[in-house]
Amino acid sequence: MSPAGGVLTAVLALPRTGATAVLALQRDDEPPVTIPRDPAREAAKRELSKRMYHENDPSPVQRALNAVWDWVDKLFSAASTATPGGTLGLVVIVVAVLAVVAALWWRLGTPHRTPTSSAALFDDRPRSAAEHRAAAEAHAAQGHWNQAVQERMRAVVRSLEERALLDPRPGRTADEAAAEAGRTLPSHTDRLRAAARDFDEVTYGGRSADSDTYHRLTELDRDLERTKPVLTSSAQSTDHNSRQGAAS
């Protein structure tokens, strides 16, 4: 291009001693134009903030992923330097740990929540012991052992309530019923506790019942029906005093 046409050249200069940026217009008949430093800096920022300069920048998600992978890379690098054999030794250790975890999972099965007795034994609709027994037998005939065990345990507790050996109380748990019934039926305390434990594990612990569990509970139900309760000391004392009063 010829000098007559003129060449427009923008030069952003920040001299060590000067306080302005100089925008020189190289023309034969025009003096250079000076711009103060701060407005020049702001103009440069506005120019560089335009979208056209950032079209190929990574997205926020991509930047986050890059940061995560950088952290993982640094972590493995640090671990490999501290592991005998370097990276190969670290890989061997990771594979060995995964193999142990898989073996334990296969041997022990899926972990279940520890059974608790916080849930109520009965639902909202009260039924008699005979109705619970009938429901238990129906489930047992179909091989539904979980439901059969649940209904038979409810039959045991309802039967004790009907015999006035337990006070009817909404919200009672299987453990509470077994502990209370053991006071008047001490010869069956251990079997009552075992039955309550079976009920809790089947209902809340993810355990699957079988025919043996159901038959043990059925035998307990029948034995309790034939067992006479043992009066507590307070009940015996009251009964003894009433007899002495009648004799006098």
Side-chain angles (χ1 to χ4, degrees):
M1 182 177 292
S2 62
V7 177
L8 178 62
T9 305
V11 179
L12 183 61
L14 297 176
R16 294 182 179 178
T17 58
T20 60
V22 180
L23 180 63
L25 301 177
Q26 293 183 353
R27 298 179 65 91
D28 296 337
D29 53 350
E30 295 182 5
V33 178
T34 60
I35 301 178
R37 178 182 299 174
D38 292 340
R41 183 183 296 111
E42 294 298 326
K45 288 182 179 180
R46 286 195 300 270
E47 178 65 23
L48 293 176
S49 66
K50 292 182 179 179
R51 185 175 181 181
M52 59 182 294
Y53 297 108
H54 303 279
E55 292 179 351
N56 297 323
D57 290 351
S59 64
V61 175
Q62 186 63 42
R63 289 197 296 270
L65 290 176
N66 291 340
V68 170
W69 283 117
D70 290 341
W71 176 80
V72 172
D73 182 65
K74 292 179 181 178
L75 179 64
F76 272 87
S77 298
S80 62
T81 56
T83 303
T87 303
L88 180 60
L90 179 62
V91 171
V92 172
I93 293 175
V94 171
V95 172
V97 171
L98 292 177
V100 171
V101 172
L104 290 175
W105 192 285
W106 176 81
R107 180 66 179 85
L108 301 177
T110 303
H112 298 295
R113 182 171 59 89
T114 302
T116 61
S117 296
S118 58
L121 180 65
F122 296 100
D123 53 20
D124 295 334
R125 187 177 71 86
R127 289 183 291 175
S128 66
E131 290 177 314
H132 285 296
R133 291 190 183 103
E137 290 296 324
H139 286 303
Q142 299 179 20
H144 300 162
W145 300 116
N146 283 13
Q147 294 88 336
V149 166
Q150 292 168 341
E151 289 298 326
R152 180 61 72 166
M153 184 62 187
R154 292 178 179 124
V156 168
V157 177
R158 186 66 78 199
S159 175
L160 295 175
E161 291 178 349
E162 291 173 353
R163 294 171 60 190
L165 300 181
L166 288 178
D167 294 331
R169 188 173 77 245
R172 173 184 278 121
T173 65
D175 284 342
E176 292 171 348
E180 294 171 15
R183 300 188 186 102
T184 55
L185 300 167
S187 60
H188 298 292
T189 299
D190 292 339
R191 296 173 69 190
L192 284 166
R193 291 176 178 172
R197 184 169 58 253
D198 289 337
F199 177 87
D200 287 341
E201 291 179 353
V202 168
T203 306
Y204 314 115
R207 171 188 158 193
S208 296
D210 53 22
S211 59
D212 292 338
T213 306
Y214 177 70
H215 291 319
R216 286 197 304 269
L217 194 50
T218 301
E219 291 176 0
L220 174 62
D221 186 18
R222 294 170 180 169
D223 290 344
L224 292 176
E225 286 287 304
R226 297 190 294 264
T227 302
K228 293 182 180 180
V230 176
L231 297 178
T232 62
S233 58
S234 59
Q236 290 176 342
S237 177
T238 302
D239 182 66
H240 180 70
N241 292 336
S242 62
R243 290 180 180 179
Q244 284 184 340
S248 62

